[in-house]
Amino acid sequence: MERLLHLHWDRLVQALRAMPDPDPTYLEFLQAGKTLLEHVRSQEFTNDDLWNLSTDAFRAAWRLLSDEEEDAATVQTQFQADEEAWSEFLAAVSRLPARCDPSLGEEFL
């Protein structure tokens, strides 16, 4: 028995093209918060780190620790800062049951 699989990538590609590019200053803001959290967690907080602290770094660290933000850049940075959370997320995704998505493809017997 042969199967013919039709994949529809046009909607996915259009959605990706419509996404705005991330603001580089926003990514730097998140990186400052991530660095602060990593230094605090590892207890390697030097004088240089202290002088380089800013309100933005504290604000970004708070944002990474909170569950209120849902944008992709924040979520990605949260996973970079907490490898255990990333592992748990991958395990949870692997346990999800498979579902058909007719917007992506069709199968014909």
Side-chain angles (χ1 to χ4, degrees), residues 6-68:
H6 289 255
L7 296 177
H8 305 284
W9 294 109
D10 54 335
R11 290 183 201 159
L12 178 63
V13 170
Q14 287 174 0
L16 289 174
R17 285 183 174 170
M19 290 181 66
D21 290 331
D23 181 2
T25 56
Y26 177 68
L27 296 177
E28 290 173 14
F29 169 73
L30 288 175
Q31 183 62 41
K34 176 181 172 250
T35 302
L36 172 60
L37 291 175
E38 288 171 344
H39 285 296
V40 170
R41 182 177 292 146
S42 67
Q43 298 180 354
E44 295 176 6
F45 204 70
T46 65
N47 291 338
D48 289 339
D49 296 320
L50 182 63
W51 292 119
N52 290 328
L53 283 182
S54 66
T55 303
D56 287 341
F58 278 106
R59 188 176 300 126
W62 173 84
R63 185 176 194 150
L64 292 172
L65 290 174
S66 74
D67 292 331
E68 296 177 13

Coordinates of all heavy atoms in Angstrom, one line a residue, residues 6-68:
H6 N 0.9 15.1 1.5 CA 1.0 16.4 1.0 C 1.3 17.4 2.2 O 0.5 17.3 3.2 CB -0.4 16.9 0.4 CG -0.7 16.2 -0.9 ND1 -0.6 16.9 -2.1 CD2 -1.1 15.0 -1.2 CE1 -0.9 16.0 -3.1 NE2 -1.2 14.9 -2.6
L7 N 2.3 18.1 2.1 CA 2.7 19.1 3.2 C 2.4 20.5 2.7 O 2.7 20.9 1.6 CB 4.1 18.9 3.6 CG 4.5 17.6 4.2 CD1 6.0 17.6 4.5 CD2 3.7 17.3 5.5
H8 N 1.8 21.3 3.5 CA 1.4 22.7 3.2 C 2.3 23.6 4.1 O 2.1 23.8 5.2 CB 0.0 23.0 3.5 CG -1.0 22.0 2.9 ND1 -1.3 22.1 1.6 CD2 -1.7 21.0 3.4 CE1 -2.2 21.1 1.3 NE2 -2.4 20.4 2.3
W9 N 3.4 24.1 3.4 CA 4.3 25.0 4.2 C 4.0 26.5 4.0 O 4.6 27.3 4.6 CB 5.7 24.7 3.7 CG 6.2 23.3 4.1 CD1 6.4 22.3 3.3 CD2 6.5 22.8 5.4 NE1 6.8 21.2 4.0 CE2 6.9 21.5 5.3 CE3 6.4 23.4 6.7 CZ2 7.2 20.7 6.4 CZ3 6.8 22.6 7.8 CH2 7.1 21.3 7.6
D10 N 3.1 26.8 3.1 CA 2.9 28.2 2.8 C 2.4 29.0 4.0 O 2.9 30.1 4.2 CB 1.9 28.3 1.6 CG 0.6 27.6 1.8 OD1 0.5 26.6 2.6 OD2 -0.4 28.0 1.2
R11 N 1.5 28.5 4.8 CA 1.0 29.2 6.0 C 2.1 29.4 7.0 O 2.2 30.4 7.6 CB -0.2 28.5 6.6 CG -1.4 28.5 5.8 CD -2.6 27.8 6.5 NE -3.6 27.4 5.5 CZ -4.5 26.5 5.8 NH1 -4.5 25.9 6.9 NH2 -5.4 26.2 4.8
L12 N 2.9 28.3 7.2 CA 3.9 28.4 8.2 C 5.0 29.4 7.7 O 5.4 30.2 8.5 CB 4.6 27.0 8.3 CG 5.8 26.9 9.3 CD1 5.4 27.3 10.7 CD2 6.4 25.5 9.3
V13 N 5.4 29.4 6.5 CA 6.4 30.3 5.9 C 5.8 31.7 6.0 O 6.6 32.7 6.4 CB 6.8 29.9 4.5 CG1 7.6 31.0 3.9 CG2 7.5 28.6 4.5
Q14 N 4.6 31.9 5.7 CA 4.0 33.3 5.8 C 4.0 33.8 7.2 O 4.3 35.0 7.4 CB 2.6 33.3 5.2 CG 2.5 33.2 3.7 CD 1.1 33.0 3.2 OE1 0.2 33.0 3.9 NE2 1.0 32.9 1.9
A15 N 3.7 32.9 8.2 CA 3.7 33.3 9.6 C 5.1 33.7 10.0 O 5.3 34.7 10.7 CB 3.1 32.2 10.4
L16 N 6.1 32.9 9.6 CA 7.5 33.2 9.9 C 7.9 34.5 9.3 O 8.6 35.3 10.0 CB 8.4 32.1 9.5 CG 8.3 30.8 10.3 CD1 9.1 29.7 9.6 CD2 8.7 31.0 11.7
R17 N 7.5 34.8 8.1 CA 7.9 36.0 7.4 C 7.3 37.2 8.1 O 7.8 38.3 8.1 CB 7.6 36.0 5.9 CG 8.5 35.1 5.1 CD 8.1 35.2 3.7 NE 9.1 34.5 2.8 CZ 8.9 34.2 1.6 NH1 7.8 34.6 1.0 NH2 9.8 33.5 0.9
A18 N 6.1 37.0 8.6 CA 5.4 38.2 9.2 C 5.9 38.5 10.6 O 5.6 39.6 11.1 CB 3.9 37.8 9.4
M19 N 6.7 37.6 11.2 CA 7.2 37.9 12.6 C 8.3 39.0 12.5 O 9.1 39.0 11.6 CB 7.9 36.6 13.1 CG 6.9 35.5 13.5 SD 7.7 34.1 14.2 CE 8.3 34.8 15.7
P20 N 8.2 39.9 13.4 CA 9.2 41.0 13.4 C 10.6 40.5 13.9 O 10.7 39.6 14.6 CB 8.7 42.1 14.3 CG 7.8 41.3 15.3 CD 7.2 40.1 14.4
D21 N 11.6 41.1 13.4 CA 13.0 40.8 13.9 C 13.1 41.3 15.3 O 12.6 42.3 15.6 CB 14.1 41.4 13.0 CG 14.1 40.8 11.6 OD1 13.8 39.6 11.5 OD2 14.5 41.5 10.7
P22 N 13.8 40.5 16.1 CA 13.9 41.0 17.5 C 14.8 42.2 17.6 O 15.7 42.4 16.8 CB 14.6 39.8 18.2 CG 15.2 38.9 17.1 CD 14.4 39.2 15.9
D23 N 14.4 43.1 18.5 CA 15.2 44.3 18.7 C 16.5 44.0 19.4 O 16.5 43.4 20.5 CB 14.3 45.2 19.6 CG 15.0 46.6 19.9 OD1 16.1 46.8 19.4 OD2 14.4 47.4 20.6
P24 N 17.6 44.3 18.8 CA 18.9 44.0 19.4 C 19.1 44.5 20.8 O 19.7 43.9 21.6 CB 20.0 44.6 18.4 CG 19.2 45.0 17.2 CD 17.8 45.0 17.5
T25 N 18.6 45.7 21.0 CA 18.8 46.3 22.4 C 18.0 45.5 23.4 O 18.4 45.4 24.5 CB 18.3 47.8 22.4 OG1 17.0 47.9 22.0 CG2 19.2 48.6 21.5
Y26 N 16.8 44.9 23.0 CA 16.0 44.1 23.9 C 16.8 42.8 24.2 O 16.8 42.4 25.4 CB 14.7 43.8 23.2 CG 13.8 42.9 24.0 CD1 13.2 43.3 25.2 CD2 13.5 41.6 23.6 CE1 12.4 42.5 25.9 CE2 12.7 40.8 24.3 CZ 12.1 41.2 25.5 OH 11.3 40.4 26.2
L27 N 17.4 42.2 23.2 CA 18.2 41.0 23.5 C 19.4 41.3 24.4 O 19.7 40.5 25.2 CB 18.7 40.4 22.1 CG 17.5 39.9 21.2 CD1 18.1 39.4 19.9 CD2 16.7 38.9 21.9
E28 N 20.0 42.5 24.2 CA 21.1 42.8 25.2 C 20.6 43.0 26.6 O 21.2 42.7 27.6 CB 21.8 44.1 24.7 CG 22.6 44.0 23.4 CD 23.1 45.3 22.9 OE1 23.1 46.3 23.6 OE2 23.5 45.3 21.7
F29 N 19.4 43.6 26.7 CA 18.7 43.8 28.0 C 18.5 42.4 28.7 O 18.8 42.3 29.8 CB 17.4 44.5 27.7 CG 16.4 44.6 28.8 CD1 16.7 45.5 29.9 CD2 15.3 43.9 28.8 CE1 15.7 45.6 30.9 CE2 14.4 44.0 29.8 CZ 14.6 44.8 30.9
L30 N 18.0 41.5 27.9 CA 17.8 40.1 28.5 C 19.1 39.5 28.8 O 19.2 38.8 29.8 CB 17.0 39.2 27.5 CG 15.5 39.6 27.3 CD1 14.9 38.7 26.3 CD2 14.8 39.4 28.6
Q31 N 20.1 39.7 28.0 CA 21.4 39.1 28.3 C 22.0 39.6 29.6 O 22.6 38.9 30.4 CB 22.4 39.3 27.1 CG 23.8 38.7 27.3 CD 23.7 37.2 27.4 OE1 22.9 36.5 26.6 NE2 24.5 36.6 28.3
A32 N 21.8 40.9 29.8 CA 22.3 41.5 31.1 C 21.7 40.9 32.3 O 22.3 40.6 33.3 CB 22.1 43.0 31.1
G33 N 20.4 40.6 32.2 CA 19.7 40.0 33.3 C 20.1 38.5 33.5 O 20.3 38.1 34.6
K34 N 20.3 37.8 32.4 CA 20.8 36.4 32.4 C 22.2 36.4 33.1 O 22.4 35.5 34.0 CB 20.8 35.9 31.0 CG 21.4 34.5 30.9 CD 21.4 34.0 29.5 CE 22.1 32.7 29.4 NZ 23.4 32.8 28.7
T35 N 23.0 37.3 32.7 CA 24.4 37.3 33.3 C 24.3 37.6 34.8 O 25.0 36.9 35.6 CB 25.2 38.4 32.6 OG1 25.3 38.1 31.2 CG2 26.7 38.4 33.1
L36 N 23.5 38.5 35.2 CA 23.3 38.8 36.6 C 22.9 37.6 37.4 O 23.4 37.2 38.4 CB 22.3 40.0 36.8 CG 21.9 40.3 38.3 CD1 23.1 40.7 39.1 CD2 20.9 41.4 38.3
L37 N 21.8 36.9 36.9 CA 21.3 35.7 37.5 C 22.4 34.6 37.6 O 22.5 33.9 38.6 CB 20.1 35.2 36.8 CG 18.8 36.1 36.9 CD1 17.7 35.5 36.0 CD2 18.4 36.2 38.3
E38 N 23.2 34.4 36.5 CA 24.2 33.4 36.5 C 25.3 33.7 37.6 O 25.7 32.8 38.3 CB 24.8 33.3 35.1 CG 23.9 32.6 34.1 CD 24.4 32.7 32.7 OE1 25.4 33.5 32.4 OE2 23.9 31.9 31.9
H39 N 25.7 35.0 37.7 CA 26.7 35.4 38.7 C 26.1 35.2 40.1 O 26.9 34.7 41.0 CB 27.1 36.8 38.5 CG 28.0 37.0 37.3 ND1 29.3 36.4 37.2 CD2 27.9 37.7 36.2 CE1 29.8 36.8 36.1 NE2 29.0 37.6 35.5
V40 N 24.9 35.5 40.4 CA 24.3 35.4 41.7 C 24.2 33.9 42.0 O 24.5 33.5 43.1 CB 22.9 36.1 41.8 CG1 22.2 35.7 43.1 CG2 23.1 37.6 41.7
R41 N 23.8 33.1 41.1 CA 23.6 31.6 41.3 C 24.9 31.0 41.6 O 25.0 30.1 42.4 CB 22.9 31.0 40.1 CG 22.7 29.5 40.3 CD 21.9 28.9 39.1 NE 20.6 29.4 39.0 CZ 19.9 29.6 37.9 NH1 20.5 29.4 36.8 NH2 18.7 30.1 37.9
S42 N 26.0 31.3 40.8 CA 27.3 30.7 41.0 C 28.1 31.3 42.1 O 29.2 30.8 42.4 CB 28.1 30.8 39.7 OG 28.4 32.2 39.4
Q43 N 27.6 32.4 42.7 CA 28.3 33.1 43.8 C 29.6 33.6 43.4 O 30.6 33.8 44.2 CB 28.4 32.2 45.1 CG 27.1 31.8 45.6 CD 27.2 30.9 46.8 OE1 28.3 30.5 47.2 NE2 26.1 30.6 47.4
E44 N 29.8 33.9 42.1 CA 31.0 34.6 41.6 C 30.7 36.0 41.2 O 30.6 36.4 40.0 CB 31.5 33.8 40.3 CG 31.9 32.4 40.6 CD 32.3 31.6 39.4 OE1 32.3 32.2 38.3 OE2 32.5 30.4 39.5
F45 N 30.4 36.8 42.2 CA 30.0 38.2 42.0 C 31.2 39.1 42.4 O 31.5 39.3 43.5 CB 28.8 38.5 42.9 CG 28.0 39.6 42.4 CD1 27.2 39.5 41.2 CD2 27.9 40.8 43.1 CE1 26.4 40.5 40.8 CE2 27.1 41.8 42.6 CZ 26.4 41.7 41.5
T46 N 31.9 39.6 41.4 CA 33.1 40.4 41.6 C 32.8 41.9 41.7 O 31.7 42.3 41.4 CB 34.1 40.1 40.4 OG1 33.6 40.6 39.2 CG2 34.4 38.6 40.3
N47 N 33.8 42.6 42.0 CA 33.7 44.1 42.0 C 33.3 44.6 40.6 O 32.5 45.6 40.5 CB 34.9 44.8 42.5 CG 35.2 44.5 44.0 OD1 34.3 44.2 44.7 ND2 36.4 44.6 44.4
D48 N 33.9 44.1 39.6 CA 33.5 44.5 38.2 C 32.0 44.3 37.9 O 31.4 45.2 37.3 CB 34.3 43.8 37.2 CG 35.8 44.2 37.2 OD1 36.1 45.3 37.7 OD2 36.6 43.4 36.7
D49 N 31.5 43.2 38.4 CA 30.1 42.9 38.2 C 29.2 43.9 38.9 O 28.2 44.4 38.4 CB 29.7 41.5 38.7 CG 30.4 40.4 37.9 OD1 30.5 40.6 36.7 OD2 30.8 39.4 38.5
L50 N 29.7 44.3 40.1 CA 29.0 45.3 40.9 C 28.9 46.6 40.2 O 27.9 47.3 40.2 CB 29.6 45.4 42.3 CG 28.9 46.3 43.3 CD1 27.5 45.8 43.6 CD2 29.7 46.4 44.6
W51 N 30.1 47.1 39.7 CA 30.1 48.4 39.0 C 29.3 48.4 37.7 O 28.8 49.4 37.3 CB 31.6 48.8 38.7 CG 32.4 49.0 39.9 CD1 33.5 48.4 40.3 CD2 32.1 50.0 40.9 NE1 33.9 48.9 41.5 CE2 33.1 49.9 41.9 CE3 31.1 51.0 41.1 CZ2 33.2 50.7 43.1 CZ3 31.2 51.8 42.3 CH2 32.2 51.6 43.2
N52 N 29.2 47.2 37.1 CA 28.4 47.2 35.8 C 26.9 47.0 36.0 O 26.2 46.9 35.0 CB 29.0 46.0 35.0 CG 30.4 46.3 34.4 OD1 30.7 47.5 34.2 ND2 31.2 45.3 34.3
L53 N 26.4 46.9 37.2 CA 25.0 46.7 37.5 C 24.2 48.0 37.1 O 24.7 49.1 37.2 CB 24.7 46.4 38.9 CG 25.0 45.0 39.4 CD1 24.7 44.8 40.8 CD2 24.3 44.0 38.5
S54 N 23.1 47.7 36.5 CA 22.2 48.8 36.2 C 20.8 48.5 36.6 O 20.5 47.3 36.8 CB 22.3 49.1 34.7 OG 21.7 48.0 34.0
T55 N 19.9 49.5 36.6 CA 18.5 49.2 36.8 C 17.9 48.3 35.8 O 17.1 47.4 36.1 CB 17.7 50.5 36.8 OG1 18.3 51.4 37.8 CG2 16.3 50.3 37.1
D56 N 18.4 48.4 34.5 CA 18.0 47.6 33.4 C 18.3 46.1 33.7 O 17.6 45.2 33.4 CB 18.5 48.0 32.1 CG 17.9 49.3 31.6 OD1 16.8 49.6 32.1 OD2 18.4 49.9 30.7
A57 N 19.5 45.9 34.2 CA 19.9 44.5 34.5 C 19.0 43.9 35.6 O 18.6 42.7 35.4 CB 21.4 44.4 35.0
F58 N 18.7 44.6 36.6 CA 17.8 44.1 37.6 C 16.4 43.9 37.1 O 15.7 42.9 37.4 CB 17.7 45.1 38.8 CG 18.8 44.9 39.8 CD1 19.8 45.9 39.9 CD2 18.9 43.8 40.7 CE1 20.9 45.7 40.8 CE2 19.9 43.7 41.6 CZ 20.9 44.6 41.6
R59 N 15.9 44.8 36.2 CA 14.6 44.7 35.6 C 14.6 43.4 34.7 O 13.6 42.7 34.7 CB 14.3 45.9 34.8 CG 12.9 45.9 34.3 CD 12.5 47.2 33.6 NE 12.7 48.4 34.5 CZ 13.4 49.5 34.2 NH1 14.1 49.5 33.0 NH2 13.5 50.5 35.0
A60 N 15.6 43.2 33.9 CA 15.7 42.0 33.1 C 15.8 40.7 33.9 O 15.1 39.7 33.5 CB 16.9 42.1 32.1
A61 N 16.5 40.7 35.0 CA 16.6 39.6 35.8 C 15.2 39.2 36.4 O 14.8 38.1 36.4 CB 17.6 39.8 36.9
W62 N 14.5 40.3 36.9 CA 13.1 40.1 37.4 C 12.2 39.5 36.3 O 11.5 38.6 36.5 CB 12.6 41.4 37.9 CG 11.1 41.2 38.3 CD1 10.7 40.8 39.5 CD2 10.0 41.5 37.5 NE1 9.3 40.7 39.5 CE2 8.8 41.2 38.2 CE3 9.8 42.0 36.2 CZ2 7.6 41.3 37.8 CZ3 8.5 42.1 35.7 CH2 7.4 41.8 36.5
R63 N 12.4 40.0 35.1 CA 11.5 39.5 34.0 C 11.8 38.1 33.7 O 10.9 37.3 33.4 CB 11.8 40.4 32.8 CG 10.9 40.1 31.6 CD 11.3 41.1 30.5 NE 10.2 41.0 29.5 CZ 9.9 42.0 28.7 NH1 10.5 43.2 28.9 NH2 8.9 41.9 27.9
L64 N 13.1 37.7 33.8 CA 13.4 36.3 33.5 C 12.9 35.3 34.6 O 12.6 34.2 34.3 CB 14.9 36.1 33.3 CG 15.5 36.8 32.1 CD1 17.0 36.8 32.1 CD2 15.0 36.1 30.8
L65 N 12.8 35.9 35.8 CA 12.4 35.0 36.9 C 10.9 35.0 37.0 O 10.3 34.0 37.6 CB 12.9 35.6 38.3 CG 14.4 35.4 38.5 CD1 14.8 36.1 39.8 CD2 14.8 33.9 38.6
S66 N 10.2 35.9 36.4 CA 8.7 36.0 36.5 C 8.1 35.0 35.5 O 8.7 34.7 34.5 CB 8.2 37.4 36.3 OG 8.3 37.7 34.9
D67 N 6.9 34.7 35.7 CA 6.1 33.9 34.7 C 5.2 34.7 33.9 O 4.3 34.1 33.2 CB 5.3 32.8 35.5 CG 6.2 31.8 36.1 OD1 7.3 31.5 35.6 OD2 5.9 31.2 37.1
E68 N 5.3 36.0 34.0 CA 4.3 36.9 33.3 C 4.6 37.1 31.8 O 3.7 37.3 31.1 CB 4.2 38.2 34.0 CG 3.7 38.1 35.4 CD 3.7 39.4 36.2 OE1 3.9 40.5 35.5 OE2 3.5 39.4 37.4

